[in-house]
Amino acid sequence: MDVPVRVLALVWMIGEVGAKEHPPNSNTGVRVSFYQAACALARTIPTGWAWCKAVVQCAFREVGHPLAYTTASCGEFRRWARGLGWERPAAAAGWPGDVVEFDWDKLDGPGQGDWPDHTGMVVSRRGHRPPRIVLDALQKKLGLASTSAVLTWLETMHRSWEYVCVEGNTAVGNDSNGGQVMLRGRELRQIQAFITVPGVATIEAGRRAACAAVRRRRRHRQEREGRRPRLALDPREAVGQAAPSQPEADRHPPQRGRQEVIARRRILQRALRTLAAHLVALRIAAAASPNARERRRQPLGRRDHRRRHSGARRRR
């Protein structure tokens, strides 16, 4: 099944709803620095800057389709997308997965500010049902019992708002620097433009990208904590005992040794399953061969009759 890349990115971003800065009002934290690592600005300033655009960049990276221009600026991103023909005016309909650019200055009057102040992604529009994959993501995140409950929740939101969006670095009372990922309702007059990122992927590709994202997050956390996974070189080391010739500083911790044993056990189980599958295939091929069918047609020999009758006598 083919799905637009922007919809897969939207599903990933819905899964991040609830992530917050730590400490508050700092633009830092474990999850925030992970988002910010998707932008080129992180190479010079690792963290501490507004990250609403960083979540959008990270969403496309995590589904396996990183954007070519990894800016952290909403205005620069809009200018780049306009050059590619991806931008659509606010009067046009926004669809699930579209990047949406907000301009709060526009509320004070026309011409007060043309530079976008905030960004996010469209979840749904009033009067239109989102794709099933988006509804499933909302159901899981909101903890609702069924898809109909999700539709009821969206209908309630659309009574007051034209669009439901998922945004990073926002909060009620601080739309552009609130410090968490949230589902927000927005009016059309707050929107400056929509940006539709092209591209199609399969659900399977999205799952593989999600698995890669989990590994990337684990590696990022290990790097922050100053530790990296290492394979045990000595058998005693694999069960938590340090090798006698190994320095004290390089000894493998017991919990990592247990993980190594589990990994080796899984490799062995996979090899045994492969071997069993090959043996079954060989048996099937041998039973279907012409020689096997010819042997079954031949009458039993004298020795075979003797074995059969002797077995019957023993049973008596």
Side-chain angles (χ1 to χ4, degrees), residues 1-5 8 63 65 133 199-209:
M1 179 180 177
D2 293 339
V3 179
V5 170
L8 291 179
V63 298
H65 292 266
I133 186 174
V200 176
T202 60
I203 293 292
E204 186 61 31
R207 290 172 180 168
R208 289 196 300 266

Side-chain angles (χ1 to χ4, degrees), residues 224-271:
R224 286 183 59 87
E225 296 174 356
R227 60 185 181 87
R228 291 294 301 273
R230 181 173 60 85
L231 295 177
L233 302 179
D234 189 272
R236 287 166 292 185
E237 201 179 1
V239 294
Q241 302 176 1
S245 60
Q246 203 172 13
E248 182 68 23
D250 295 336
R251 290 187 179 179
H252 200 53
Q255 61 271 20
R256 297 192 198 175
R258 180 171 179 78
Q259 293 175 1
E260 179 65 22
V261 171
I262 293 173
R264 292 185 177 182
R265 187 180 300 165
R266 289 176 179 172
I267 293 173
L268 181 59
Q269 291 174 350
R270 193 179 303 117

Side-chain angles (χ1 to χ4, degrees), residues 9 35 79 97 165 177 198 238 242 270 273 282 284 286:
Y35 304 147
R79 181 184 300 172
C165 303
N177 198 16
R270 193 179 303 117
R273 286 195 296 268
L282 289 175
I284 293 174

Side-chain angles (χ1 to χ4, degrees), residues 6 15 73 95 106 130 164 219 233 235 238 253 271 311:
R6 64 181 186 276
S73 170
W95 298 102
K106 193 169 59 174
V164 175
R219 185 170 63 250
L233 302 179

